[in-house]
Amino acid sequence: MKATFRKSMIWLHTYLGVILGWLLFAIFFTGTLSYFTPEITRYLMPERASISKSQQTMIAHSFAYLGEHASEAEQWRIALPSERSALWSVQWREGKQRQTVVFNNQLASVENETDTKGGLFFRNFHYTLQLRGYGGRYIAGVAAMAMLLAIFTGIYTHRRFFKDFFTLRPQKLKKWTTDFHALAGILTIPFCIMICLSGIFIYAIMYLPYTANANFERGERGVNSQIIPSLPSLHLNEKIIGNDHLLKASTLPPKHNYAHILEQIANQWREPNPIARITVEGVGYKNSRMIVERSKATTVSNRAERLVFETYTGKPLKGYDDETVPAQIRRILYGLHQANFAPIGMRWLLFGLGILGCALIATGNIIWVTQRKKSAKQNPFTLALVEKGNVAAVAGLILASVSFFIANKLIGHDVEGRAQLEVNTFFTVWALSAVHAFWRTKAAVAWKEQFALASGLCFVTVAIELVSFRDRIANSIEYLDSVYLSFIPAFFVSGIILHWAAKKIGLRITNADIAKISTKSGTRVKKEQE
């Protein structure tokens, strides 16, 4: 019974990986890149330079601009830059119309921003798979549940943790792949469980809608609006006129009142640059209120603390009610999944674990192919499908991702629909990689060529940056913009790793060909002797 159960676990672990391995790799890989979503967006937008102004200066300039250009608006919103995003913008709403203006370090508005999806493309693909509606979220949820099952069946399959952890046989590629798969699995167990569980909890209401449908008026669609605390609606009826508060309706809040708000914030939020966003509702009315949102860098939750004040007096108002414990747990899991709280060192650690998770999935599918090649029972078509599909799913996705960055650098700034062209480039290259993999007789040759091409594109990206963006590099060095500058060595190192992988596969192909020729020669000699 015990042996039968273990065989069942091995079978389940194996075929969960084979059936969903490609999907899981795509989700894990784009999710890993998403740890640097704002940094990628900043890298792909040359105008997003580092901003060195103080928050007080930026807030004062933002209110001055809004008072001059949006005095009749119903709502103002100020988004302050972080070290990661460098995005400083103001937005106002008049009826259903919204307008946004972005500022640079010289306090000037940026007229023509680069049209790009940036890092949001990888983040959105991670859980939507570029499918409309909620289809991608359901598929990603099923994949997360399957990954959890694969983890637990894998734990039962690889019971010898210490032996597997300290075993790595580099002499033979097949044994090395198996050992590395076990090692990566052991190292990433906590990370993979956290990522999968938190991903499921984010959309738990969608995956289990029955309670919501039974207890809420609009079911799962309306549950969030009913359980998430909100502020009472504003009844705007009395505008500030004449000498009321010594203020006209078209002017910004009095300086001394705003200073009072800042003083209260400084007493409660003691970290540097604590404010992430300011929203003013009911601009120009006596009961206008200001909502100040704290940076998410100080909390694991995906919802930061918010304070509410009267706009024109600075008087504190009753804020948001506390969320229920289940809602807080969900937000903490959401925050753990996104890791917005993580400092740079922890984000690189999570990135490394994500890459190990990708390697775990990829090596699992490669091991399946390697083992089935020894068996005469395996259907040749299925074997070829999985073997060459692995190339497209792994090497092809890496190649497509690098092509996305290349497209961003080469497509003209004023080209209409350039953001969609970047996305189209990604999927076109990915599709062509699949065609190439199935066209090649040997999958190993396809692995080598696609890794080599991806390596070359990484080096091309570095060359484009050094040649075409010298002014940006010089400006980044002057202002110590480590976020932008780090991408150049990152692409260079990635190119070296991919080149090493291509070279190793090339050597393996050469050795295999030599061994094959030697075998044929030996067979011919024996026949001649006979």
Side-chain angles (χ1 to χ4, degrees), residues 348-366:
W348 276 112
L349 173 62
L350 292 170
F351 181 86
L353 289 170
I355 293 296
L356 268 180
C358 294
L360 171 71
I361 297 165
T363 52
N365 275 21
I366 291 169

Side-chain angles (χ1 to χ4, degrees), residues 318-497:
K318 184 180 182 299
Y320 292 83
D321 293 331
D322 291 335
E323 291 185 316
T324 61
V325 172
Q328 290 181 34
I329 292 172
R330 176 180 173 270
R331 287 202 178 278
I332 289 171
L333 289 170
Y334 205 147
L336 281 171
H337 195 87
Q338 292 181 319
N340 288 323
F341 65 91
I344 184 66
M346 184 179 289
R347 279 203 307 281
W348 276 112
L349 173 62
L350 292 170
F351 181 86
L353 289 170
I355 293 296
L356 268 180
C358 294
L360 171 71
I361 297 165
T363 52
N365 275 21
I366 291 169
I367 290 167
W368 185 88
V369 170
T370 304
Q371 291 177 342
R372 295 312 180 278
K373 278 186 174 181
K374 302 174 185 176
S375 173
K377 297 179 181 179
Q378 187 62 45
N379 187 314
F381 174 78
T382 305
L383 186 63
L385 177 66
V386 176
E387 184 179 24
K388 296 186 176 184
N390 287 342
V391 181
V394 178
L397 180 57
I398 295 170
L399 183 58
S401 299
V402 181
S403 300
F404 179 86
F405 289 92
I406 290 279
N408 172 268
K409 300 299 177 183
L410 296 182
I411 298 173
H413 185 276
D414 298 323
V415 174
E416 186 177 352
R418 72 183 308 281
Q420 189 57 46
L421 284 175
E422 293 173 3
V423 175
N424 292 345
T425 300
F426 174 89
F427 286 108
T428 300
V429 171
W430 200 2
L432 288 174
S433 75
V435 172
H436 170 261
F438 283 94
W439 172 68
R440 276 297 186 190
T441 306
K442 294 182 178 180
V445 175
W447 277 108
K448 174 195 168 184
E449 292 174 345
Q450 293 197 24
F451 276 148
L453 181 56
S455 171
L457 289 181
C458 285
F459 294 133
V460 168
T461 305
V462 173
I464 292 173
E465 209 69 45
L466 294 174
V467 173
S468 303
F469 295 91
R470 286 175 292 182
D471 292 341
R472 187 182 184 187
I473 293 172
N475 185 65
S476 299
I477 293 172
E478 180 183 351
Y479 288 99
L480 301 176
D481 187 357
S482 60
V483 171
Y484 167 72
L485 292 173
S486 63
F487 276 87
I488 297 174
F491 274 110
F492 188 77
V493 171
S494 298
I496 291 173
I497 294 171

Side-chain angles (χ1 to χ4, degrees), residues 219-232:
E220 58 175 303
R221 303 290 184 183
V223 65
N224 282 336
S225 61
Q226 295 182 56
I227 67 173
I228 295 175
S230 60
L231 296 175

